[in-house]
Amino acid sequence: MIKYIGSKRTLVPLLSGLAAASEAKTALDLFTGTTRVAKAFKELGLAVTAVDLASYSEVFAKTWIALDGGSANLAELQRAMAELNSLTGKAGYFTKTFCEDARYFQPKNGERVDAMRDALERDYRGSWMYEPLLTALILAADRVDSTTGIQMAFLKNWAPRSNNQLALRDPGLLAGSGTAIRGDAIALASQLEPVDLAYLDPPYNQHRYFSNYHIWETLVRWDNPETYGIANKRIDVRGDDNRSAFNTKKLMPAALSQLINDVRADTMILSYNSDSWLLKDELIDLCSQRGHVEVIDVDFKRYVGAQIGVYNKSGEKVGSPGAKRNLEHVVIAGDKVRVKRMVNSLV
Ligand SMILES: C[S@@+](CC[C@H](N)C(=O)[O-])C[C@H]1O[C@@H](n2cnc3c(N)ncnc32)[C@H](O)[C@@H]1O
């Protein structure tokens, strides 16, 4: 699975358990990111709607949530992947920008990305396979990158995995139906169809995902943007578009309060990092507008970057890792009997 800061890989079993005990049939994942949680809900048989601001996240959600893998022609997808894997690399924008001017990937792999991405646009735009193939390409690039998992900087020396040859693999489609939406959770919350269960996993600091994962944005948009700085970020990272209220300490509490109020769901689950801007009691206060509230504190392994060290923009180590454990508050709010049943199901 892709390296993604704030991803809830380790929380998935707990969230799945809660969803199952809620007996929900429909669910909403409002900050879906990698779609890990939405996928787990879909695997439980729920009809899931996955929302996120990021373009790459929409591609993931179209692949894993909206597409019914049960009725997809998987042999056709395998043939398309084999064809793309057999292409000869051809240096283009991606190679120049991310492998020569910056060093996120080795040029041999950048050339393969350029060749595959051009072919995807030329031969698969409009096909049901477009998003699964693009997902497979992002995952393949992630497996051979030379970063600590965010694209603020690249490592000074090539990461060993970057020597491997980039190759597409089956992204593993899931049976069932769902919906993928790219947009602002705050604007969408009151517009979306009511659901049984909503999961909220907002960002918890000032670092924007648009900036942290600018290469995936560019790989999806394929718009050859002008870039700036050593990290070669898209020029529009500097602008005000693609900003989220959740990345501003001053705006975040009101944004979260409005969202909690607006979301149309019987039960809501919110996860929030204990290191961050809102205290546990403030979270409980915000969520109590939805009924009974219970909190589960999960000892959550810190993002791997914090374990490896602190790096400057040239990928040089400039600091030591901080404390390695922190808590994730999982707040559950709604009807008292149901919320208690959900929490009790975990013991
Ligand atoms: C903590 S991550 C979610 C991780 C996700 N649960 C997972 O396991 O992969 C927060 C996500 O919120 C998205 N985001 C930030 N602001 C948003 C907004 N206003 N509306 C919708 N999504 C937003 C980011 O793009 C990012 O993917």
Side-chain angles (χ1 to χ4, degrees):
M1 239 306 174
I2 195 160
K3 298 186 284 298
Y4 201 63
I5 195 162
S7 129
K8 294 301 173 292
R9 184 174 54 86
T10 54
L11 272 191
V12 161
L14 178 114
L15 296 171
S16 283
L18 291 171
S22 77
E23 297 175 2
K25 301 275 180 287
T26 53
L28 176 60
D29 182 4
L30 269 178
F31 300 85
T32 198
T34 62
T35 74
R36 280 175 212 273
V37 177
K39 281 168 84 175
F41 289 172
K42 187 176 175 182
E43 281 171 327
L44 286 175
L46 277 67
V48 183
T49 299
V51 174
D52 201 285
L53 271 184
S55 311
Y56 51 83
S57 185
E58 183 187 26
V59 169
F60 296 155
K62 284 187 170 171
T63 300
W64 285 312
I65 305 306
L67 198 65
D68 180 1
S71 57
N73 185 342
L74 300 180
E76 191 186 11
L77 185 63
Q78 293 289 353
R79 275 197 300 278
M81 277 193 303
E83 197 183 301
L84 291 172
N85 275 331
S86 72
L87 292 177
T88 305
K90 187 170 183 292
Y93 175 90
F94 194 93
T95 309
K96 166 105 179 67
T97 312
F98 301 125
C99 311
E100 292 171 1
D101 297 346
R103 288 159 47 92
Y104 291 101
F105 307 90
Q106 300 215 15
K108 62 172 187 179
N109 282 326
E111 289 166 15
R112 286 176 64 70
V113 172
D114 271 316
M116 290 189 198
R117 185 64 186 86
D118 280 342
L120 250 170
E121 209 52 38
R122 188 183 61 234
D123 302 335
Y124 294 96
R125 180 59 95 170
S127 150
W128 72 270
M129 292 186 286
Y130 183 77
E131 282 85 13
L133 291 171
L134 193 43
T135 293
L137 180 57
I138 298 171
L139 297 185
D142 181 63
R143 283 193 293 273
V144 295
D145 77 343
S146 190
T147 74
T148 59
I150 47 172
Q151 297 161 355
M152 312 262 262
F154 41 89
L155 298 176
K156 193 172 176 195
N157 299 312
W158 288 117
R161 65 171 171 272
S162 72
N163 294 318
N164 298 335
Q165 155 126 314
L166 175 141
L168 306 187
R169 291 184 200 157
D170 184 349
L173 304 180
L174 303 180
S177 60
T179 308
I181 302 175
R182 176 164 176 246
D184 189 325
I186 303 170
L188 286 166
S190 59
Q191 316 289 321
L192 296 170
E193 288 292 310
V195 289
D196 299 329
L197 178 69
Y199 173 57
L200 277 56
D201 185 23
Y204 48 81
N205 62 31
Q206 73 280 15
H207 298 298
R208 285 182 297 149
Y209 283 80
F210 190 66
S211 169
N212 277 339
Y213 296 102
H214 59 99
I215 300 176
W216 302 152
E217 284 290 340
T218 296
L219 189 49
V220 167
R221 298 176 186 208
W222 211 228
D223 54 355
N224 301 356
E226 190 188 327
T227 58
Y228 71 95
I230 296 171
N232 260 359
K233 293 187 180 179
R234 306 171 55 88
I235 196 78
D236 50 4
V237 165
R238 276 181 168 159
D240 279 340
D241 292 346
N242 307 296
R243 284 195 183 274
S244 168
F246 294 95
N247 294 124
T248 308
K249 192 173 180 182
K250 239 166 87 183
L251 302 180
M252 188 271 173
L256 186 60
S257 175
Q258 185 189 332
L259 186 58
I260 290 171
N261 182 60
D262 287 355
V263 70
R264 298 165 77 198
D266 290 338
T267 311
M268 187 197 75
I269 303 177
L270 164 76
S271 54
Y272 200 69
N273 193 284
S274 65
D275 268 357
S276 196
W277 294 330
L278 290 178
L279 300 173
K280 184 168 163 177
D281 285 347
E282 293 172 309
L283 291 174
I284 294 173
D285 271 358
L286 286 178
C287 292
S288 54
Q289 55 183 305
R290 301 197 64 95
H292 181 73
V293 177
E294 298 264 345
V295 185
I296 303 168
D297 284 337
V298 183
D299 188 356
F300 190 72
K301 203 158 191 275
R302 259 182 202 253
Y303 173 65
V304 67
Q307 294 175 41
I308 297 169
V310 181
Y311 292 82
N312 69 12
K313 286 188 174 171
S314 316
E316 288 154 351
K317 196 165 176 176
V318 292
S320 301
K324 287 201 182 58
R325 316 286 310 176
N326 65 358
L327 293 178
E328 192 79 15
H329 300 307
V330 177
V331 187
I332 308 147
D335 170 73
K336 187 170 182 177
V337 173
R338 189 184 305 115
V339 169
K340 283 197 166 294
R341 187 177 70 228
M342 289 166 69
V343 174
N344 291 337
S345 75
L346 301 172
V347 285

